[in-house]
Every structure is written in structure tokens, then in C-alpha cells.
Amino acid sequence: MRTRLLVSTLALTALVAAPACGGDDPPGSLIVPFKIGANVDCSVLAVTDVTVELYKYSASGAAGDLIDQEVVDCEDGQAEFMGLVAGRYNVKVSGVDAEKVIVTDNFDNDPADIAEVTSGAQNTADVVTMSPTPAKILVRWLLNGGFGMCSDVPVTNFRVATYEKEGLSELLTYDFDCDPEEPSVMGYNAILDPDRQIAGDDLDRVYIDALDQKGTSLVTAPLEFVMEPPGHGRTVKLTAAVDCTNDPCTISCAAGKGADPMEPTLCLAD
């Protein structure tokens, strides 16, 4: 009887001690600390909430499937995840202001931020550094009254130059094909700015020129857009009206977007 009880007790002990789920490793936890630039205070960019996302790891840095996410107060300075499978994760962090506009993130960090989780342990990732997001410039052009196509005009490219300090310092110049291959965004064409050169807190002038296949301007003067700096992460929409029914071509503001009746090439954003 004692032997049977002893065997039963040993069997129960072995059962309890056996790893769950056929030997799977226990999950781990992860703390992801973050900062803005050189540890700039959240109030400088008016950041309220920060979203921290963990994605299935990809060596290329391209995000795989979303595994988990946490939204925390910017002042917390970190997000904590529980119950994570051991392994590596791509980390994306973004901060929004009171209007829910993303004004800072780590999306263009090179190399991409990663975190590693060890089974059954509390892990802390390297600090993720966010930088201000650039202003987004969306441009469209109306040809020959809005009914023309690129094949109807001698325009090959549109050159968009962005400036700060009332046109004194260039931020970024970008050339579009008249008929871009890239998909449009809300009917506009988006400037690609991977180096974040279009600082939203500085941008105050944009110039649009119409060029032929030799890169020569087809108009007497580029179209000039004046604006107050829109702010980090804000979107600026611009429309240029180009008419090439006569020689030379003309470029002007969209209807109702003239900044000065005496200056036909001085425009406001849409």
C-alpha cells in the first residue's frame, strides 16, 4: 500500500513538473524605451501619445505581421509587453499630437530597430530614437484647362523646389514625370523624402516649374506658393494650372488660390 502511494505520488510529481505544451519554452516580457532626438522633452513637439508596435522579424527591416502593440503616454518613456514568444522583433514607434497627427517616429531609422526576447525572462530593448516627421507635399497639375493630357503638351517634367526662410534656403528639390508611374494620393502626386529634408516647422515657400525633355523651363517664371510653416507631419496640397495652347506655356494658380491679384504666379496651398 505504501509502495502504491509512493508510486502514485511520484507520478503526480512528474506530471506537474513536466513542461507544458509538449516542451514549449515559456514566454518572456519586453520593455521598449523610447526618446525623441537627443532626449528632447515631449512638449517640444507637443507629443501626447506614443504607439509602440512589434512585428515579426525580417532581416531586411521590412515589417512582417503585427504581433502586438501598446499605446502609452509620451512622458512614460517606455512600453511594456508581456507573454511574448522568444525571438527577435522589428520595432516601430510613433508619436502623435493632440490632433492625432504623427509628428515623430522611427520609421526611417537605418539600421531598423529590433528587439530580442529571451524565454522566461524580462528583457529590455535598446532605446528607440524617434525623429520629427517631415511635411508631406502633394502636387497635381491641370493641363490646358484641366482637360489636357501629358501627350497634349511639351511638358516632360515638373520640378518642385521647397524652401525655408522666405525662399533663402533650399530644403529639397524633386522632379516628377508629367505622367508619373507611382500611384496618386487623393488625386495628387507625393514627393518622396526619405531623408526628411522638408522640415514642417521651417517650410514656407514652394516653387513649381514646367520643363521640357531637355530640362528647359517652358514658362516665363515658376509658380510660387507662400505659406506659414505647416508643422511636423502636416500635409500640404498644391495645384498648378498649365496651359500650352499658346507659345510659351503659362503656369498659374488654381481657381481661387491666388495670393495676390497683382501677382498671377503667387499662390496659396489648396
Side-chain angles (χ1 to χ4, degrees):
M1 186 71 175
R2 290 180 181 176
T3 303
R4 185 179 304 166
L5 178 59
L6 177 60
V7 171
S8 299
T9 303
L10 290 174
L12 179 59
T13 302
L15 179 62
V16 172
C21 302
D24 288 348
D25 293 332
S29 64
L30 176 67
I31 293 174
V32 179
F34 54 80
K35 66 177 182 175
I36 302 171
N39 212 17
V40 172
D41 192 89
C42 297
S43 62
V44 173
L45 295 183
V47 181
T48 56
D49 297 329
V50 172
T51 299
V52 181
E53 298 174 321
L54 302 181
Y55 289 85
K56 183 177 180 180
Y57 175 71
S58 168
S60 67
D65 296 332
L66 177 63
I67 302 301
D68 201 356
Q69 72 172 22
E70 291 287 340
V71 180
V72 298
D73 190 288
C74 182
E75 298 294 344
D76 291 347
Q78 65 180 36
E80 185 171 4
F81 298 86
M82 306 296 291
L84 294 174
V85 174
R88 306 179 88 186
Y89 297 86
N90 290 104
V91 182
K92 287 189 175 294
V93 183
S94 58
V96 299
D97 62 13
E99 297 177 0
K100 302 305 179 184
V101 174
I102 296 177
V103 294
T104 184
D105 63 35
N106 74 326
F107 295 173
D108 291 321
N109 284 4
D110 186 15
D113 292 289
I114 61 173
E116 188 159 1
V117 174
T118 302
S119 174
Q122 184 182 73
N123 306 269
T124 301
D126 292 337
V127 178
V128 175
T129 300
M130 296 182 287
S131 59
T133 55
K136 300 177 180 65
I137 307 295
L138 303 181
V139 184
R140 65 180 177 179
W141 36 90
L142 307 178
L143 304 178
N144 293 350
F147 300 101
M149 302 177 64
C150 289
S151 57
D152 300 327
V153 297
V155 179
T156 302
N157 299 96
F158 285 93
R159 176 163 295 166
V160 183
T162 62
Y163 282 81
E164 62 177 338
K165 300 176 182 176
E166 299 182 351
L168 290 176
S169 298
E170 182 180 352
L171 296 171
L172 175 67
T173 293
Y174 190 89
D175 285 359
F176 288 102
D177 289 340
C178 182
D179 192 7
E181 295 182 359
E182 295 80 6
S184 63
V185 179
M186 298 178 289
Y188 292 78
N189 303 292
I191 288 181
L192 302 182
D193 182 18
D195 295 329
R196 303 186 173 217
Q197 295 175 262
I198 307 176
D201 57 340
D202 295 324
L203 175 72
D204 58 14
R205 293 290 187 280
V206 179
Y207 298 86
I208 299 180
D209 201 356
L211 310 178
D212 64 14
Q213 60 183 354
K214 295 181 179 180
T216 302
S217 178
L218 293 165
V219 297
T220 55
L223 203 59
E224 180 181 357
F225 291 83
V226 296
M227 64 198 71
E228 292 295 323
H232 297 295
R234 262 55 184 186
T235 297
V236 178
K237 298 178 180 179
L238 307 173
T239 301
V242 177
D243 192 314
C244 291
T245 54
N246 296 305
D247 188 20
C249 297
T250 61
I251 188 168
S252 60
C253 311
K257 293 301 178 180
D260 186 341
M262 303 302 294
E263 297 288 345
T265 59
L266 196 62
C267 310
L268 300 172
D270 293 358

